[in-house]
Amino acid sequence: MQLISFNKYNNTKRQGKLNRKKVFIIVIIVIILILLAVFTSLYILNKTFRNNVDKYIFRKNIEENNGPVIELPSQVDNNNILAYDNYIGILNKSILNIYSTSGKKEKELEVEISSCIYDTSNRFLAMAEKEGTKLELISGTDILWKTDIEGSIEKIFVNKNGYVSVVITGTTYKNVIITYKPDGTELFRTFLGKTTAMDVEISNDNKYLAYGEVDTSGSFIQSNVKILSMEKAQTDPNNSTVYIYPAESKEIIAELKYQDNNKLICMYDDSIHVIEDNSDKKILDISDAKNTFADINLKNSVVCITEKSSGLFANIDVEITNVTNNKSNVYNIDGVASSIKTLENVIAVNLGTEVYFVNSSGWLIKKYESSTEINDIILGSSVAGIVYSDKIEIVNL
């Protein structure tokens, strides 16, 4: 009996030690969770605290001359600078020099284009001679195909799968839209006799071609968005239109963008709409004079920049609206924006000597600070180029 009592006593002691250890661990976990909650709340709600954390803990601030640099050729006026996929390209005198995100020259391509207009998506770069006849498609560091067209190329578009459309002038029609397969085979032509094509887009599933047109022949300007079945356009072009959306009187269509899930985003001069399942919905009003910039070239969002004050304490709101649930996130910046660039989930806001890279959830990715005026910003899938008169500094995002 004494032995049994002794074992019970030992078990009780061990259980007490174990319970104290468990309590200690739970207390530590609770303290950590409370500290994380306080840290998160301060980060979200306190702008000064968030800026300090971004700068000193997360190291999101980048200063000029701390990243890879590409020196520009001396003939500055002849340079066409562009970004696509994970590359930066410099077109000068029909030579396209392609650089990696480390600033290393990867390849030199001889192209038949000297002054270009271009569009990029995924790994593709579509280039055309500005108001010329030459057209080329590049993937990575290789030329996939090139062709000559009749007329003058005004606009160019490529989707993520390599389908290309160009808008042509200088024929018997006001505009002709020519669409190509990824291998360069011409699919079909769309003829516009009385209207002007403002923008063209091909859906991510390659089933639809959408274009925005403006008719100025009547007593007032009429904008329309037309969606064509690409399959029908190859066999029965006169009956290939599956949807027409006429804009309200005097609204001018500016840009189209097929985003995720084949949502077609339409930006007019005073509003942004989404077309999905043959229905149109206005998602954002941009008619306010304080709305300085708007852009729709994101994966699943649109962005509008609004001036909130002026003078010595000027600041702006970068409002990002999700097109699926219509919820908005706002990132506030001290200063005035001179330009913006967007791609996929990145918004680059140029303030002249500073650039804020913000994601579509409204959080800062990187802040770039310069000692001199920034000429331009170019964006690739995971890279940005800060363009100066004599160099490009690379920022990996």
Side-chain angles (χ1 to χ4, degrees), residues 315-362:
N315 67 87
I316 56 174
D317 276 350
V318 182
E319 183 179 0
I320 307 121
T321 302
N322 185 293
V323 300
T324 301
N325 55 31
N326 213 35
K327 291 183 179 179
S328 294
N329 296 301
V330 177
Y331 186 85
N332 182 263
I333 299 174
D334 293 329
V336 177
S338 59
S339 66
I340 67 168
K341 292 289 179 66
T342 67
L343 182 70
E344 296 177 358
N345 287 313
V346 178
I347 302 149
V349 184
N350 182 10
L351 274 66
T353 57
E354 295 178 329
V355 181
Y356 287 77
F357 297 97
V358 181
N359 66 23
S360 56
S361 297

Side-chain angles (χ1 to χ4, degrees), residues 70 81-84 86-90 96-101 378 383-386 392-395:
I70 301 170
I81 301 168
L82 47 92
Y84 68 102
N86 293 315
Y87 300 102
I88 288 176
I90 302 174
L96 179 65
N97 291 300
I98 301 173
Y99 297 84
S100 68
T101 56
I378 51 175
V383 64
I386 310 298
I392 303 169
E393 186 159 354
I394 299 172
V395 178

Side-chain angles (χ1 to χ4, degrees), residues 22-50:
K22 286 181 180 179
V23 169
F24 177 76
I25 292 171
I26 291 171
V27 169
I28 293 298
I29 292 172
V30 170
I31 291 172
I32 291 172
L33 290 175
I34 291 172
L35 290 174
L36 284 174
V38 172
F39 179 88
T40 303
S41 298
L42 285 171
Y43 187 81
I44 293 172
L45 300 174
N46 189 305
K47 184 178 178 180
T48 302
F49 179 80
R50 181 171 62 251

Side-chain angles (χ1 to χ4, degrees), residues 94-320:
S94 299
I95 298 296
L96 179 65
N97 291 300
I98 301 173
Y99 297 84
S100 68
T101 56
S102 65
K104 179 185 175 183
K105 185 175 177 179
E106 295 290 326
K107 201 166 185 179
E108 183 178 291
L109 295 177
E110 187 173 346
V111 298
E112 298 179 8
I113 296 168
S114 57
S115 179
C116 76
I117 57 173
Y118 71 95
D119 190 35
T120 71
S121 185
N122 197 4
R123 67 182 188 276
F124 297 103
L125 167 64
M127 302 171 59
E129 184 72 29
K130 186 177 181 181
E131 297 180 350
T133 64
K134 306 290 186 181
L135 170 64
E136 302 190 19
L137 181 66
I138 294 169
S139 176
T141 58
D142 298 313
I143 298 173
L144 297 184
W145 55 267
K146 58 178 68 177
T147 190
D148 266 331
I149 57 96
E150 293 182 4
S152 175
I153 301 174
E154 291 292 318
K155 296 177 178 66
I156 187 169
F157 167 80
V158 62
N159 83 343
K160 69 176 187 177
N161 302 310
Y163 284 78
V164 176
S165 284
V166 290
V167 178
I168 307 299
T169 60
T171 69
T172 55
Y173 294 88
K174 196 160 190 178
N175 277 156
V176 180
I177 302 171
I178 309 176
T179 302
Y180 299 88
K181 292 172 65 175
D183 63 2
T185 304
E186 183 178 321
L187 273 177
F188 58 89
R189 297 191 176 205
T190 307
F191 300 95
L192 283 65
K194 297 181 180 179
T195 59
T196 300
M198 302 300 290
D199 199 14
V200 181
E201 280 279 309
I202 298 173
S203 62
N204 294 328
D205 60 8
N206 315 316
K207 290 183 178 181
Y208 302 103
L209 179 140
Y211 64 92
E213 63 176 5
V214 174
D215 186 352
T216 58
S217 61
S219 56
F220 59 89
I221 297 174
Q222 177 62 53
S223 291
N224 299 305
V225 174
K226 291 186 177 180
I227 301 176
L228 279 59
S229 164
M230 290 181 60
E231 183 179 3
K232 288 184 179 179
Q234 297 173 60
T235 56
D236 189 10
N238 293 330
N239 296 302
S240 62
T241 302
V242 295
Y243 183 75
I244 300 176
Y245 175 72
E248 293 182 9
S249 175
K250 297 181 181 180
E251 277 191 329
I252 299 177
I253 185 73
E255 193 173 0
L256 302 176
K257 173 66 177 178
Y258 266 113
Q259 294 190 353
D260 285 356
N261 300 319
N262 278 341
K263 293 181 177 68
L264 180 62
I265 312 302
C266 310
M267 185 163 73
Y268 298 88
D269 55 344
D270 60 0
S271 62
I272 297 175
H273 294 234
V274 58
I275 295 176
E276 185 181 19
D277 299 326
N278 289 351
S279 64
D280 176 272
K281 179 183 177 183
K282 181 178 177 179
I283 57 174
L284 200 62
D285 189 316
I286 55 173
S287 60
D288 194 318
K290 293 184 178 181
N291 299 144
T292 54
F293 297 98
D295 201 290
I296 61 175
N297 292 296
L298 294 163
K299 288 187 71 174
N300 200 32
S301 304
V302 298
V303 60
C304 179
I305 292 184
T306 305
E307 290 185 1
K308 304 302 292 184
S309 60
S310 58
L312 295 175
F313 303 102
N315 67 87
I316 56 174
D317 276 350
V318 182
E319 183 179 0
I320 307 121

